[in-house]
Amino acid sequence: MSSPNDFSYLDNKGDQAVLYLADGSQPIEGHAFGASTNVSGEVVFNTGMVGYPEALTDPSYRGQILVLTYPLIGNYGVPDANVKDELGLPLYFESSKIH
């Protein structure tokens, strides 16, 4: 049986990344995805089981580091961005970009 801290089964294709917290606690190591750049911001958590496309495109998260806590994010795919509502706005997204 593997130890509780053995994450060797995870897909670690992204570049190595480190999260430094303002309270001076130990840095948290992980793997990045998306743009390869340094960022800073308030870390916020979304604990929803659904709605991650809406959360990722919600402008209210701009300037924040959004952490999606549900472990199966993306398993059911991403909706088609070309589907529009009766006003011509994206039906499944809050905006046209990830903030």
Side-chain angles (χ1 to χ4, degrees):
M1 186 169 176
S2 63
S3 77
N5 296 323
D6 178 18
F7 299 108
S8 61
Y9 60 90
L10 294 176
D11 180 6
N12 296 327
K13 292 180 182 172
D15 294 334
Q16 286 190 311
V18 181
L19 176 64
Y20 296 96
L21 301 176
D23 68 359
S25 58
Q26 288 285 23
I28 301 167
E29 296 182 9
H31 292 271
F33 66 93
S36 181
T37 184
N38 293 329
V39 297
S40 63
E42 176 186 21
V43 178
V44 295
F45 297 87
N46 181 299
T47 59
M49 294 173 62
V50 297
Y52 66 90
E54 293 85 353
L56 289 171
T57 59
D58 188 336
S60 70
Y61 287 118
R62 185 169 185 77
Q64 297 176 316
I65 300 170
L66 179 60
V67 178
L68 304 171
T69 62
Y70 190 66
L72 302 177
I73 296 299
N75 276 5
Y76 64 82
V78 176
D80 186 345
N82 296 318
V83 176
K84 310 289 185 195
D85 65 11
E86 63 278 357
L87 299 174
L89 301 170
L91 184 61
Y92 301 110
F93 299 93
E94 299 300 313
S95 71
S96 61
K97 61 183 179 180
I98 294 179
H99 298 276

